Every structure is written in structure tokens, then in C-alpha cells.
Amino acid sequence: MKRIYLDYAATTPTHPDVVKVMLPYFTKVFGNPSSIYSYGQEAKGAIDEARVKVANLIGAQEEEIVFTSGGTEADNFAIKGVAFANESKGNHIIASSIEHHAVIETCKFLERRGFSVTYLAVDEYGLVDPNDVKKAITDKTILISVMHANNEVGTIEPIAEISRIAQEAGIYFHTDAVQTTGHIPVDVNELGVDLLSISAHKLYGPKGVGALYIRKRTKLVPFMHGGEQERRRRASTENVPGIIGFGKAAELARQEIGEEAERLTCLRAQLAKGLLERIDHVRLNGHPIMRLPNNVNVSIDYVEGESMVLNLDLEGICVSTGSACSSSSLEPSHVLLAMSLSHEQAHGSLRFSLGKWTTEEDIERVLDVLPRIVAKLRAMSPLLKSQR
Ligand code: PLP
């Protein structure tokens, strides 16, 4: 049975070209980039090249890129870094209520340390209203954090509009662009952000490496203390093979981005249309247009998301019920609840995220298999029986 992977938002396979460029840095060029002899300097030179490639992908300057262990660290670094460096100015942070746990949990941590956080509501499509951002600003606000696109429902937020508001008020603005970088155009100057988080494993790079873009003159304290790596902004010996792989992935993404987004948008339309036509009581979650090219999120009434995921897995199809981090918990998604879905609708949700190796045939197979699974599960469902 051919396995079909439709969970590219959870992680992507590392591109074979990426693996190829990484390999010598495990064995041949294994030096510590801080060492002044040739082994070390070769590794350092390669890191600098990778930094340029990552910077080019987002329209940044290379000195504004700090490599991290992933998206979670980049989010933590941005938020705690700004909060602790600007405490004397104020203690108020604004974030959307549909942020990834890496942002939400960091904000909650800061609340326990005396900061106050306003979590902005979103509309039924998961959109933040820039006017709400404006209204939430106080003279104590030091940071606004709104994600570029949501990892569960794919809604793309009006980042440029929000950044104008932040700029006018003289407040730092961070965006978590983990789901967008490499998939849709991301330019830090067009978006007008001061801080932007990226993760390599979401764009066909390796796991355990990411980056935080830090606009020049942004005041933040380091998240890790120790050595003087990354211009004293992130201590610890660099993950050299990971960074080299990240650089290659960024280079490939830059070459392929437009064409691939168009191809995925067609496949997304095929999947969404097919699901709505072949299964009744289905709701498409997220914004109909302002959404990631590869994301389809649906709520299917009278069935549990987990049961669908397990049944699809038996057919060799991998999808998720929400974000990978929360899919092992039975708590309904905070994103879907914030979009005013009921607990039942949130529990009956499925996220399909398509990618480089998804084909039309894969989508057809899902459209063939899923209606049968839903019919089988509904036949056993006490939820549906109580409606009859
Ligand atoms: N932010 C978003 C929007 C994500 O989707 C993820 C991963 O699921 C992260 C942050 C965390 O990234 P990482 O797995 O690299 O720590």
C-alpha cells in the first residue's frame, strides 16, 4: 500500500539535496566554528554562507539572522528577550488568541513573572482585526506578537497593517512565520516586522534548527547565556550540519516558491471541493481566500477527529486533527474554539496539509477513502443517533 503523507504542516521530509550538503559537516568538516584553525574556519565560512541564504529568503541582512534550535526557541527568544530588555518601559504584551503554544505558553510564563498580556479575539475565519490591536495598546505596551499564518487553519493575518500600527506607537512587533517562510513570499521590510521566527523542518530542512530575524537596533536580551556565538546573541556551539541544511532548504524554497504555491493551491481546491461534495455536514475552517496554499481544515459533524485519523492511518493516509503538539491531547483546539466553533465541531476537525510530493492521485484517494470512513463512523455514532 502506498503511504500518503498529508501532514506537511507538522513537519516536512528533509529534501534529498539538503541531506547531501549536510553530510560532509558530520564527518569531514566537523570543526568547531569558534576554533581558529582551518577545520573550524571552514565550518564558520559555511555557516556564514547559510546565513546569507536564509537572510535572502526573507529580505533581511545577514547580521539580522540568529540561528536557534527551531521555531519554539525563536518565539521564546523574541518574546522573553524583548520583555526582559524593555521592562523599565512597560510590562504589557499583546498577542492573538490563536498563536502557537510556543508563543502562548511563553506569554503565560511572563504573566507569572508580573507581565500582563492581552490575548486578541479573532473572527470566525481566524482573522485578527487591526483595530483591536490599536484599541489594546496602552502606555505600558512593549511588544505585539501576531503570527503570519495559523498552523491549524491556515489563515494569513494582516501583518503589514498591524505593523504600521505598532510602528506608529513605537512598539516592537514580532511575527511567528514558521508556517509561511518558504511557502509564500515573506519579506521582513514589506511586513514591517522587528522580529520574525522561522523553523527549518517546515520547509524541507532538518529538524532542530531555526532562526530569529532581529531588525537592527531592536533591544532584546539573549535567551541563552554562555559563549559568544551568534554575535553574543545565542550561546552554544552551532549546529553546523543543521544550519548548512537550513541554508540549502532556504535556497531551494526561494527558487521554487511561486510555482509550488500555485500547484498546491490547485490541489487544495480539488480536496476542499471534493470533501464538500462527497460528505455532508462538513464545514471548511479558516479564511476562504487569505489562507496558506497547502492547508485544508474541515470540521465533520457527528464524528471524532481522532477516529478519522486512526482509520485513515489504516488506509496509509497521514493527516492530523490539529497542531501536532496538541494532537496527542484530548483538549479541543484553542484555535477552533477562538473561532467560535463548538466543542463538538472542534473535536470533529481534520487538518490536511499538502506539500512537495503530494499528487492529484493522492487527493483522489483521500476523496475515495474518507467518505467511506465517515459513513462507517457515523453509523456507530451516538452523536448522530441522538439527532435522528
Ligand atoms: N510556530 C508555529 C506556527 C508552528 O507551526 C510550530 C511547529 O509546529 C512552531 C512554532 C514550533 O517550531 P519547532 O517545531 O521548530 O520548535
Side-chain angles (χ1 to χ4, degrees):
M1 180 170 51
K2 183 195 169 198
R3 292 220 295 179
I4 298 174
Y5 182 75
L6 294 175
D7 205 11
Y8 284 81
T11 194
T12 58
T14 310
H15 194 292
D17 292 355
V18 168
V19 176
K20 204 161 136 195
V21 299
M22 287 173 71
L23 289 176
Y25 292 89
F26 287 103
T27 50
K28 294 198 186 86
V29 195
F30 59 84
N32 186 322
S34 299
S35 304
I36 56 170
Y37 47 76
S38 56
Y39 272 127
Q41 289 308 295
E42 259 181 76
K44 184 175 182 311
I47 287 181
D48 290 342
E49 278 175 35
R51 198 184 307 279
V52 171
K53 289 175 185 167
V54 172
N56 285 344
L57 181 63
I58 59 168
Q61 293 175 26
E62 55 189 281
E63 318 83 77
E64 296 174 313
I65 302 293
V66 173
F67 288 114
T68 64
S69 64
T72 300
E73 186 187 320
D75 285 342
N76 272 263
F77 184 11
I79 297 168
K80 290 178 194 163
V82 166
F84 292 134
N86 296 277
E87 235 173 324
S88 61
K89 279 203 219 148
N91 68 343
H92 180 233
I93 295 168
I94 300 172
S96 89
S97 52
I98 60 162
E99 294 298 309
H100 188 269
H101 292 289
V103 169
I104 297 268
E105 293 303 321
T106 304
C107 287
K108 284 191 188 161
F109 165 81
L110 288 172
E111 283 185 280
R112 294 192 291 273
R113 295 286 181 287
F115 287 85
S116 84
V117 182
T118 301
Y119 298 96
L120 298 170
V122 293
D123 69 8
E124 60 185 304
Y125 301 120
L127 275 177
V128 171
D129 182 345
N131 282 322
D132 290 346
V133 177
K134 210 178 217 168
K135 282 188 223 149
I137 292 174
T138 72
D139 56 357
K140 295 263 184 285
T141 310
I142 49 172
L143 177 69
I144 299 169
S145 182
V146 175
M147 68 202 315
H148 193 193
N150 181 266
N151 47 300
E152 293 188 36
V153 295
T155 299
I156 299 171
E157 300 295 341
I159 297 302
E161 271 179 84
I162 299 172
S163 79
R164 275 194 290 277
I165 294 167
Q167 250 165 40
E168 275 167 26
I171 297 166
Y172 287 127
F173 184 31
H174 164 249
T175 193
D176 175 335
V178 165
Q179 290 291 337
T180 50
T181 307
H183 300 282
I184 60 170
V186 170
D187 184 298
V188 289
N189 295 313
E190 278 171 24
L191 293 174
V193 294
D194 302 299
L195 299 136
L196 180 141
S197 305
I198 317 177
S199 176
H201 75 98
K202 310 284 185 177
L203 54 123
Y204 308 98
K207 292 170 184 58
V209 58
L212 180 64
Y213 158 77
I214 308 173
R215 188 177 290 280
K216 278 186 191 144
R217 287 182 282 280
T218 301
K219 218 174 122 196
L220 79 173
V221 293
F223 176 66
M224 309 260 283
H225 300 275
E228 301 204 338
Q229 290 88 355
E230 297 294 285
R231 296 166 187 260
R232 297 203 199 99
R233 288 177 296 186
R234 202 270 185 182
S236 180
T237 302
E238 297 87 342
N239 169 5
V240 182
I243 291 171
I244 306 311
F246 186 10
K248 183 67 184 176
E251 182 181 58
L252 292 174
R254 198 161 166 241
Q255 287 161 6
E256 295 169 6
I257 201 164
E259 226 172 276
E260 183 60 1
E262 232 172 81
R263 190 185 76 87
L264 290 175
T265 304
C266 293
L267 291 178
R268 181 188 78 190
Q270 181 194 349
L271 177 58
K273 184 166 172 281
L275 291 173
L276 292 170
E277 278 173 5
R278 297 189 201 183
I279 306 173
D280 50 9
H281 302 289
V282 176
R283 173 201 148 109
L284 217 44
N285 296 320
H287 197 278
I289 304 155
M290 294 289 292
R291 65 183 303 123
L292 290 170
N294 72 331
N295 173 295
V296 175
N297 186 309
V298 286
S299 285
I300 303 181
D301 289 347
Y302 317 120
V303 270
E304 290 284 337
E306 282 75 20
S307 312
M308 289 188 279
V309 167
L310 295 175
N311 277 273
L312 282 167
D313 189 35
L314 292 174
E315 300 278 349
I317 300 169
C318 304
V319 304
S320 128
T321 51
S323 72
C325 319
S326 63
S327 61
S328 56
S329 100
L330 288 176
E331 281 295 301
S333 145
H334 69 288
V335 175
L336 296 177
L337 294 185
M339 289 162 56
S340 304
L341 267 72
S342 66
H343 278 238
E344 287 74 26
Q345 285 173 317
H347 274 305
S349 76
L350 280 184
R351 177 188 70 181
F352 301 88
S353 46
L354 325 179
K356 210 178 269 298
W357 288 283
T358 309
T359 64
E360 269 180 46
E361 292 71 44
D362 294 343
I363 303 297
E364 266 317 306
R365 175 142 166 77
V366 172
L367 293 174
D368 177 41
V369 168
L370 186 57
R372 283 193 268 124
I373 290 175
V374 171
K376 182 182 89 178
L377 292 173
R378 278 182 177 164
M380 303 186 293
S381 166
L383 296 169
L384 186 56
K385 281 183 192 132
S386 66
Q387 297 288 316
R388 282 179 174 152

